[in-house]
Amino acid sequence: MKEILVDFEKCNGCLMCVQACAAEHSLSKTIPGALAEGTPARIFLQHVKGSPVPIVCRHCEEAPCVDSCMSGAMKKDPVTGIVTNEGNDQECAGCWMCIMSCPYGVIIQDHRGKTAKALKCDRCQGKEPPACVASCPNNALFFMEPEEFSEIRRRQEAKKILVVS
Amino acid sequence: MNHVIIGNSAAGVTAAETLRMLDDQAQITIISDEKEHAYSRCLLPDFLSGERDSKSLRIRDLNFYSQNRINTELGQKVVSVDHEQHQVVLEDGRRLQYDKLLVASGASPFIPPIPGLQTEDAFGLRTIDDANRILEAAKSSRNAVIVGGGFIGLEAAYALRSRGLDVTVVEMAPQILALQFDEKSAGILADDIRQAGVNLITGAGVKEIEGPAFPGKLRSAGKKVILSSGDSLQADLLIMAAGTSANVALVRDTGIKINRGIMVDSRMRTSLPDIFAAGDVVETLDVVSGSIGLTPIWPNAVVQGRYAAHNMAGNDKKYSGMIGLKNAVEFRAVPAIAMGASRGTEEEGYEVLTLDQPAYQLYKKLILRDNRLQGMILVGDIKQAGVLGALIRNKTDVSAYKNCLLQPSFSYADILRHSA
């Protein structure tokens, strides 16, 4: 199954992914619109010792957020592999059990609606590639099978060694 | 393979759907003494307050059972298990044959022995039936008294308060949420609950329940709750939220190994062949304390149900234990999470890191031992609870970024960068 994968070395922290994510999930579908609407992004850019580190949901197999969801709203689609609490029969209760369970810390509290809800990456509901990947100008984000990604990484490393020697 | 599951909640439902995923041909039957489609007990306070109806309590789609080809025996109580014959005995006398049995019978509210307390006087809050009876009684009630200042008690209090009742919570410990939170964090949460107009009395037990005298009985006046402090409270509605006890009665005379709950091994197998158990009814390993005990929380029940199902279907899948104590809560405005050895102190040999900003209702406390995180309390800011929780669960050495853990900027990125 395809995943959103990150080449940390290539990321320069430009925040395009964050803005594109907010835009995609806004009503207007534009970056200024998302800013005006106050749409939160679902991908996060952290800095550690000056280096940017994008953090995004992995849509885990046996996802802890799904296991901990006591309303049944958080589900993993068996076909697409997308883990989301939106668009299901059950409604998120805002109990924050998923936030407590997510080892990557990529679920946030959304207080925009009448009742608070958990908010997370929905991988643009299956749109390929997801907005964050499509917007990355540095080729740091990929949407592909993890095996394919490691193959690319392996070749890159090999190339480096060739150049040095 | 013929699988029978006793219990239609977190563990039972997860086990059933896992079994179906693993074995297309298996016969799966769920038995429950409740008639309802699988629903969330944790959301019953929302049902009490009127935020949710019985439909929005459902944890699975309406066609869940038919889609997964699961037979149901709902509204059927299991009287006993005949493990020699591999049969489950139902209340109506029928016997269901099983190849593998999962006991996921859950727990029931614990009713403490209080002088003068008649069981019909006091409600627990465990089932939709309980909630409906409370709502019915609430119609003619002005004062509600809730015995027990844990999560269920406080959430029920908050729900009834939103229905306009005068609500008092009586907690024996000197603070609310005494199992999970320390004094300071419980104080912040208590303030938050009081803001909603709920009256909290801590450090006082219930000494006696006094029924109305004769003239009062005629107009169905409420009871009187006499506290150990000598004070008394008027209670038109009395709710018991003083913990739960595991539902082990149905298997007790099989000779199955029971402590406070059913004992299971790392494959969720009980001491009897072909009988598995999962959820609130079992005792399992707590990875933080290393001890075996009841861990009656939803996420653990789900995971245990899944592991039981794998092993029932013949896969060898070992349950390595979970964090027994972990709870998230938000009463009115302040979110809070407690996990693991959240009440560990320096006197006990723990290293304790705290961040306390009362002006922002922000309080964080991390409990470490040998540079490994063992417990935490987060109040106000819970964003990184899962990241910290994974450090607890994996017993990660955090010495490289210990000083970052309480920073607002701390995230999974710190761990990623330090482990790279």
Side-chain angles (χ1 to χ4, degrees), chain B residues 38-258:
Chain B
Y39 68 92
S40 176
R41 305 188 191 289
C42 308
L43 292 176
L44 285 174
D46 287 2
F47 180 74
L48 265 193
S49 69
E51 279 169 63
R52 276 176 194 253
D53 56 14
S54 58
K55 276 192 207 116
S56 51
L57 285 184
R58 280 204 295 261
I59 53 170
R60 291 294 183 273
D61 296 355
L62 208 50
N63 62 1
F64 170 74
Y65 302 107
S66 56
Q67 199 176 25
N68 287 291
R69 287 170 287 129
I70 297 167
N71 308 319
T72 52
E73 291 285 350
L74 302 181
Q76 271 299 337
K77 207 175 161 71
V78 173
V79 195
S80 64
V81 173
D82 184 343
H83 67 281
E84 275 157 12
Q85 300 289 329
H86 275 57
Q87 284 173 341
V88 171
V89 185
L90 301 180
E91 202 170 30
D92 63 6
R94 276 183 302 147
R95 288 172 160 256
L96 298 186
Q97 198 71 35
Y98 66 80
D99 295 322
K100 306 277 179 199
L101 173 69
L102 176 66
V103 182
S105 47
S108 299
F110 169 67
I111 307 291
I114 298 172
L117 175 67
Q118 316 273 311
T119 38
E120 65 270 20
D121 286 350
F123 302 103
L125 180 54
R126 180 78 190 178
T127 62
I128 285 196
D129 276 353
D130 289 338
N132 277 323
R133 285 189 299 143
I134 292 172
L135 284 179
E136 191 54 40
K139 278 185 199 160
S140 57
S141 301
R142 184 182 298 169
N143 304 297
V145 172
I146 295 170
V147 180
F151 286 105
I152 300 285
L154 294 171
E155 281 174 356
Y158 189 67
L160 289 175
R161 179 70 201 132
S162 72
R163 289 214 174 244
L165 272 72
D166 278 338
V167 184
T168 305
V169 177
V170 182
E171 167 59 50
M172 212 185 311
Q175 61 163 76
I176 57 164
L177 301 167
L179 275 181
Q180 297 89 358
F181 289 89
D182 65 353
E183 200 187 331
K184 192 155 224 163
S185 50
I188 299 172
L189 293 170
D191 285 345
D192 189 46
I193 295 163
R194 286 200 178 99
Q195 292 273 326
V198 173
N199 187 15
L200 295 179
I201 298 176
T202 51
V206 177
K207 204 167 73 183
E208 202 188 332
I209 310 284
E210 211 173 78
F214 176 67
K217 255 186 191 149
L218 284 181
R219 47 180 178 84
S220 65
K223 292 161 283 288
K224 222 177 212 175
V225 178
I226 319 279
L227 302 183
S228 55
S229 59
D231 294 340
S232 73
L233 298 164
Q234 191 65 33
D236 304 322
L237 175 61
L238 186 60
I239 295 180
M240 288 293 163
T244 60
S245 52
N247 291 334
V248 292
L250 70 167
V251 288
R252 198 177 280 286
D253 50 8
T254 57
I256 208 169
K257 218 169 132 199
I258 300 173

Side-chain angles (χ1 to χ4, degrees), chain A residues 65-108:
Chain A
C65 59
V66 176
D67 285 345
S68 65
C69 181
M70 47 110 151
S71 68
M74 192 72 82
K75 285 183 189 169
K76 184 174 177 73
D77 187 301
V79 179
T80 64
I82 294 173
V83 174
T84 183
N85 59 344
E86 293 172 278
N88 298 322
D89 259 11
Q90 294 75 12
E91 203 186 328
C92 172
C95 73
W96 316 137
M97 294 284 272
C98 53
I99 295 182
M100 183 178 77
S101 304
C102 174
Y104 304 109
V106 290
I107 309 178
I108 57 173

